[in-house]
Amino acid sequence: MTRAFNFSAGPATLPESVLRQAQAEMLDWNGVGASIVEISHRSQDFIAVAAEAEADLRQLVGIPDDYAVLFLSGGATTHQALLALNFAAPGQVVDYVVTGHWGKTAIKQAKPYCTVNIAADGEAGGFHDIPPRDSWKLTPGAAYVHITANETIHGVEFRDTPDVGEVPLFADFSSSIASEPLDVSKYGVIYAGAQKNLGPVGVAVVIIRKDLFERSGQPRADIFDYRSHAARDSMLNTPPTWNWYLAGLVFKWMLAEGGVGEFARRNALKSSLVYDAIDASGGFYRNEVVPAVRSRMNIPFFLPDETLTSRFVAESKAAGLLALKGHKAVGGIRASLYNALPVEGAQALVDFMRDFQQRNG
Amino acid sequence: MTRAFNFSAGPATLPESVLRQAQAEMLDWNGVGASIVEISHRSQDFIAVAAEAEADLRQLVGIPDDYAVLFLSGGATTHQALLALNFAAPGQVVDYVVTGHWGKTAIKQAKPYCTVNIAADGEAGGFHDIPPRDSWKLTPGAAYVHITANETIHGVEFRDTPDVGEVPLFADFSSSIASEPLDVSKYGVIYAGAQKNLGPVGVAVVIIRKDLFERSGQPRADIFDYRSHAARDSMLNTPPTWNWYLAGLVFKWMLAEGGVGEFARRNALKSSLVYDAIDASGGFYRNEVVPAVRSRMNIPFFLPDETLTSRFVAESKAAGLLALKGHKAVGGIRASLYNALPVEGAQALVDFMRDFQQRNG
C-alpha cells in the first residue's frame, strides 16, 4: 500500500516530508557517521538540535520568555501527576473542570497528592457540552484550575480561554496545541504529549510560567522535580533524543507551511467539511456535541446501527482512510484531523461518507 | 562520512541492519499505509509488535514466567524513584551498595521515600573496586538491596551476583543487560534503560518478580504504579511505540546472531583486546580499576596528560572512532563496547591506540 490518509487519534499521522528526512538521515545524521539515535544527548551536535527545537516551538506557539519549555519523556498522564507534586502543597485544594475522559484521568493522577474539587463536570450531559463558566464552583486559594483544552475522545473543545481570576490555569493541550493561535500568557502551565499535533509519540512538552517554580510542592524524587529538569535544559537524565529530534523536524515543517495561523485556517476548513457532511446527512451521520464546543481536531460521529458502523470502518480502510474506528468508550466513528492531516484527507473522507450513505442510506 | 565505529556510552551504536530495516519501513510499515510511529498503540498491528518484543526479550535474557516484563517511558532514573514508591513502605529501610556514579543517583531518587542505608560504598577508594561482600552492612527486614550491575562511568562491574539472603536484590542493568547469560531468578527486580545494550533511547525495560506486586508500597499516582502498567501490558497510557519497535528489532538481531552466549564471547574478546592494549602500554595508557571487577562494557582509561588526551580524542574522531571522550566526572578516555559494537571496532581502537602511542609515547 502507498501512504494512506490516516485519521488516528494518536500516535497520529506525520508530514511525509518529515518522515522522508528522518528516513534519509537514519544511518548517518548530518555527516557525523552515526544516526542521531546513536549519539550522546550531551554532544554539541544533539544540544544544538534540542535548542533549535525549543526556539522553533517558542516561535510557533508564541511562548513568552517568562515561560520555561521542557521536553520530557512520558505522555501527558505522567505530567498530570507531576503537576500536583510540583505545584500543590500536600492536601491543598485543586480545581478540576471535567469535560471528557481525559479530565477524569487527570483527576485520578492528582488525587493521591491533593484535595480535588470538581469545579464543573459535563458527564451528566454525556460530555456533549462544556458547563458554562458562571456555573463553575472554583475555590479561592486553590493551587490551580485544570482544564482539558480539547477532549480527544469526546470531541469537545474550549473555543475560548476561560477567565479563572488569580489562580493559575493549567491546561492539557495534547490534542490541540499549535492548531491555532494561543495566548500562552493566560495559562500557568500548558502541557501536551507530542504524538497528536507536535510530532512523534514518546516525548511531551511542558510550558511553565517560571514564577511557579517558587512553589515548594511536595516531597518528591529529583527526577519528578520540574525545577531540576529546567535547570538542566531537560537533560537531567537521558531524554528521548530521537523523538525530540523528530518533533523538531515537525516544528520546522509547520513554520515553513505558514505557522499556526495557516494551520488554524486549514483546521477550520477540514473540520467544517466533516461537520457539514454530518449535518447534511439527514441524520444518517450524527455528532452529539453542541456546535459551539465541537472539536476541530477530533470528530466522533455515529451511524444508525452497529452493522453499518462495522461496514463503514472496513470499507473506509479498504479505501485508504485509516483508523476511523471510534474509541471504545463512546463507539461509532472518530476522525482526527490534526495539523499533518491534509485538507485532501478531509475531502476524501467526506466524499467517502456521501458515497457510503448513498449505498447504505 | 560513512558509518564510523561508535564508542558512545549511551545513546549508543545500533546494529546497521536494524537501522536499515527501520529506514526501509519509515514511510510504510508492513504495508499498512503508514509508519509504525503513526499508528495506534491499541491497534492489533502494534499490539503484535509489542508482544513479540516481550517474547523475544524473555527468550534472549531467559526471563522466567513468574516475572513481569514492562516496557515503559523514562530512563533508569525514573525507575530508581518508582522502585522505592512501589516496593518500600513509607520510611522503610532500603540497602544500597554504591560502586559508582549511578549508585549515588539511585539513592538520590529513593531518599524522599525511604530510609536509605548505604550498606557498602566504594567512593573512598575512588570506585576502583567493589567492597567485598562480607563487608556489607545489610539490614534485616530491608525492603530490598540495590546494586548497579555495571557502572557506566566508573567502569566497574559485578562479575558475580552477590548473595543477599532473603531480601530481594534489585539491580540496575542499564549498561550490561543481555551482554552475557544472567540468572534472573536471583533478582527481585532488574531494570535497564534500553539505550546501551537493548536498542534506542526513550524506553526502559523493568523485569519484576510478580510476588513483589503484593507489596502496597506508598501513596502514588496510578501512572507511577507498576501493577497498573503490568495489568495493561505496559499500555496504561500511550507508550513510546517507535522506541519499543526498534528495541524489538534489536532483540531479533541479537537472537539471530546467536543470543547472549555469543555476545558474551564477543564482549569478552572486545574488552580483552582493549584491556590488553592498556596493560601492554608500559603505563602510557592507564585503567585504575581492580582487574577482577573491570567492566566488559565501559573502559575508562587515562593518558599521561591533558594535551595528549585532547589530541587522542580529536585524532580518534578523525580516524572514524567516535565518542571516546571520557565522562566529565572522571575525565580521560572511555570506550563503550556494547553488543552492537563489532569486534572489528575494538580491533580498530587498539590499532589506533598503538599507533598513537608510537607517535606520542
Side-chain angles (χ1 to χ4, degrees), chain B residues 98-100 104 120-129 131:
Chain B
V98 183
T99 54
K104 291 170 73 174
D121 188 348
E123 188 156 23
F127 293 128
H128 297 158
D129 200 356

Side-chain angles (χ1 to χ4, degrees), chain B residues 15-101:
Chain B
E16 184 170 324
S17 62
V18 164
L19 291 173
R20 288 199 184 281
Q21 182 171 347
Q23 181 178 49
E25 297 175 342
M26 183 58 78
L27 273 87
D28 182 14
W29 173 80
N30 207 22
V32 303
S35 173
I36 197 163
V37 71
E38 299 175 298
I39 69 172
S40 172
H41 53 297
R42 305 212 187 278
S43 65
Q44 287 309 311
D45 284 323
F46 185 77
I47 288 171
V49 168
E52 206 165 307
E54 179 181 331
D56 286 342
L57 184 67
R58 283 184 180 274
Q59 183 187 343
L60 189 69
V61 176
I63 303 171
D65 288 345
D66 58 332
Y67 285 73
V69 177
L70 305 180
F71 289 81
L72 300 173
S73 65
T77 315
T78 298
H79 297 287
Q80 289 167 344
L82 295 185
L83 291 178
L85 276 173
N86 280 267
F87 302 122
Q92 188 178 5
V93 173
V94 290
D95 286 339
Y96 279 71
V97 176
V98 183
T99 54
H101 175 90

Side-chain angles (χ1 to χ4, degrees), chain A residues 1 14 23 27-28 38, chain B residues 1 3 14 23 27-28 38:
Chain A
M1 186 183 269
L14 290 167
Q23 181 179 49
L27 273 85
D28 182 14
E38 299 174 298
Chain B
M1 185 183 270
R3 283 180 60 76
L14 290 167
Q23 181 178 49
L27 273 87
D28 182 14
E38 299 175 298

Side-chain angles (χ1 to χ4, degrees), chain B residues 301-313:
Chain B
F301 60 93
F302 303 91
L303 281 87
D305 60 47
E306 281 305 311
T307 307
L308 285 171
T309 303
S310 299
R311 193 180 300 162
F312 187 99
V313 170

Side-chain angles (χ1 to χ4, degrees), chain A residues 284 303-314 333 356 360-361:
Chain A
F284 184 76
L303 282 89
D305 61 46
E306 282 305 311
T307 307
L308 285 169
T309 304
S310 298
R311 193 181 299 163
F312 186 99
V313 170
I333 304 293
F356 185 87
N360 296 278

